[in-house]
Amino acid sequence: MMIRRTAGAVLFAALAFSAGAGTVKIAQFKEVISPEVGAKICGYDADQVSVKKCDDLFAIGLEIDDGKERLLIVAMDILGLDGETVRDLRGKCAKKAGVPESAVFFSCTHNHSGPESVRRFNMPQYINREYLDYLETQLLTGVGSLASAERTECRVMFNSSFPDENYNRRYVTSDNCASFVPLRREYKSLCKGTTDQELGLLLFYDVKRVAGRDGPAFVIGNYAAHALSSHSAGLGGIRISADFPGFFRDYIKSETGADAMFIQGSCGDACPYGDEEGMDAARRTGVNLARAAIDAIVDAGRNPVRFTLKEPRIGHSLRTITWPLRSDLRGRIQPEYDASDDMPLEIHCISIGDVAFAGMPGELLMEPGLEIKWNS
């Protein structure tokens, strides 16, 4: 998720702008990471074999250099990665980029129409090792290309929009019992639970261009919603697609010229409207989020004093904590955790100025995600 410490932030930006805001240099890569048609789809039933590719999946990387430190953010159009895979790939990417491991931040869009990139807690045998080898090759190719990539000096802006594009997929009755709405879709219209509808946007503006007229060079968008709009019954469940994050990026690119990245939020109980309804629903969600992003981009470009970060300095922290394993999951998930009451969890945070990204494993619910934001 993306967080901004709000207390006094606008005031600080206003006071600093006349003296000139700080800048960073950015470089980017975009590598195709689509599996071959015929690969199994991850995220729903086992043994769902893909028969068609609607659009490509991508790994998109952004290197940010504040003059003292460099940071690498990589977003991938896949469901997720196991902890050991994250550690292996992060270490190799860090070595390739010449940065500490804590400066390499991975995010998966939680795409349900991609390959078996992660083990399921009750079916650990379902994972595509050949695909993970391919993913490693593509990631290292992309990271390696940054060495000779053109750098763009940018000012950094932050703005938020609040599009109504998600709902809480749990319906809680008066006796405090919850129904999982994907299994009881007749309850969908009753779902009025807690939601996080903030679309956080980090905007990078080329210093050689006029922000209000020319728009940003790169956009990072953060929103909480399962990427499963396109995964409809029947054919929809066996098509390869980047789902709504792909349409979000494409619309921003087509209308502003800026490349874009989608960072998934605390989506454990967040579904997009039109979930599991097919490609038109995925397109609608992605375009609606992109239109909300463009509104915020217009506002930021015309009000740079309000939205420009005073000092876009880089920070990064990577820590491991232990947390009790839920009793009903003991013996049912990855073997290395079966004999233990505690599970090691990595908490990964990076920051650009007073904007932070908090990365946690699994599917964090919207409620604790909001608590993290409120307490920041």
Side-chain angles (χ1 to χ4, degrees):
M1 76 185 73
M2 190 188 297
I3 308 159
R4 182 163 191 185
R5 294 169 55 197
T6 56
V10 172
L11 173 62
F12 290 154
L15 292 174
F17 195 78
S18 61
T23 63
V24 298
K25 291 183 179 180
I26 65 170
Q28 59 183 288
F29 71 80
K30 185 176 184 179
E31 296 290 337
V32 174
I33 57 169
S34 307
E36 296 290 336
V37 173
K40 292 179 181 178
I41 298 294
C42 186
Y44 277 76
D45 297 331
D47 299 316
Q48 287 188 298
V49 178
S50 60
V51 298
K52 181 181 179 180
K53 182 178 71 173
C54 295
D55 49 276
D56 272 315
L57 314 186
F58 290 97
I60 299 173
L62 181 70
E63 181 192 85
I64 307 169
D65 185 342
D66 69 2
K68 294 182 179 179
E69 292 198 68
R70 287 182 296 129
L71 188 68
L72 177 60
I73 305 174
V74 183
M76 295 167 271
D77 289 326
I78 54 178
L79 186 73
L81 294 168
D82 289 333
E84 69 221 42
T85 306
V86 169
R87 289 186 288 274
D88 179 57
L89 292 177
R90 186 177 60 214
K92 291 174 179 176
C93 288
K95 183 177 180 180
K96 192 83 170 178
V99 297
E101 285 194 34
S102 57
V104 178
F105 187 88
F106 287 160
S107 176
C108 299
T109 62
H110 202 62
N111 178 25
H112 280 248
S113 296
E116 292 181 313
S117 59
V118 61
R119 290 180 289 182
R120 310 180 196 196
F121 78 90
N122 57 345
M123 294 181 288
Q125 71 274 23
Y126 286 93
I127 188 167
N128 190 332
R129 298 290 180 185
E130 290 184 4
Y131 177 78
L132 292 179
D133 290 340
Y134 166 68
L135 178 64
E136 177 181 323
T137 297
Q138 296 302 94
L139 283 178
L140 294 178
T141 297
V143 175
S145 71
L146 293 174
S148 57
E150 181 181 354
R151 266 67 180 169
T152 303
E153 186 176 1
C154 293
R155 291 191 174 92
V156 187
M157 297 188 191
F158 176 87
N159 198 4
S160 288
S161 183
F162 293 86
D164 183 10
E165 293 296 329
N166 65 6
Y167 72 95
N168 194 311
R169 65 180 184 177
R170 295 182 299 169
Y171 174 61
V172 182
T173 53
S174 59
D175 57 351
N176 204 33
C177 292
S179 290
F180 184 58
V181 175
L183 302 180
R184 301 290 302 272
R185 289 180 74 87
E186 69 268 27
Y187 288 166
K188 189 173 176 180
S189 62
L190 302 176
C191 290
K192 306 296 181 184
T194 301
T195 56
D196 179 2
Q197 295 188 331
E198 180 181 17
L199 172 62
L201 296 158
L202 200 59
L203 312 171
F204 297 84
Y205 284 85
D206 188 338
V207 297
K208 296 179 181 179
R209 302 172 71 184
V210 179
R213 182 187 68 200
D214 294 327
F218 198 91
V219 174
I220 300 178
N222 169 236
Y223 196 75
H226 265 69
L228 45 65
S229 295
S230 65
H231 202 293
S232 59
L235 180 62
I238 48 178
R239 298 179 301 196
I240 297 166
S241 171
D243 210 274
F244 77 79
F247 289 109
F248 169 82
R249 299 188 303 250
D250 290 347
Y251 193 83
I252 286 179
K253 178 70 172 179
S254 68
E255 300 306 313
T256 72
D259 291 306
M261 172 189 292
F262 181 85
I263 301 290
Q264 185 59 263
S266 301
C267 71
D269 51 357
C271 277
Y273 295 124
D275 54 311
E276 302 180 307
E277 292 182 0
M279 292 302 295
D280 280 349
R283 182 179 297 106
R284 183 173 63 249
T285 298
V287 170
N288 285 348
L289 288 174
R291 290 172 61 191
I294 291 171
D295 274 344
I297 289 168
V298 170
D299 200 20
R302 292 175 180 170
N303 298 276
V305 172
R306 291 180 59 202
F307 297 107
T308 301
L309 303 185
K310 175 187 175 184
E311 295 182 354
R313 300 284 74 85
I314 287 170
H316 45 90
S317 173
L318 179 62
R319 299 181 183 179
T320 299
I321 64 172
T322 56
W323 201 256
L325 187 60
R326 209 169 73 190
S327 59
D328 62 320
L329 294 180
R330 292 172 191 162
R332 298 179 58 202
I333 62 171
Q334 301 177 15
E336 59 265 37
Y337 303 138
D338 288 349
S340 174
D341 291 338
D342 296 324
M343 176 183 288
L345 301 174
E346 281 193 338
I347 308 298
H348 196 175
C349 295
I350 59 171
S351 61
I352 301 97
D354 62 1
V355 177
F357 294 79
M360 284 147 282
E363 299 182 38
L364 194 69
L365 304 182
M366 285 187 283
E367 292 92 331
L370 284 168
E371 284 199 45
I372 293 170
K373 289 184 176 183
W374 291 333
N375 285 286
S376 72

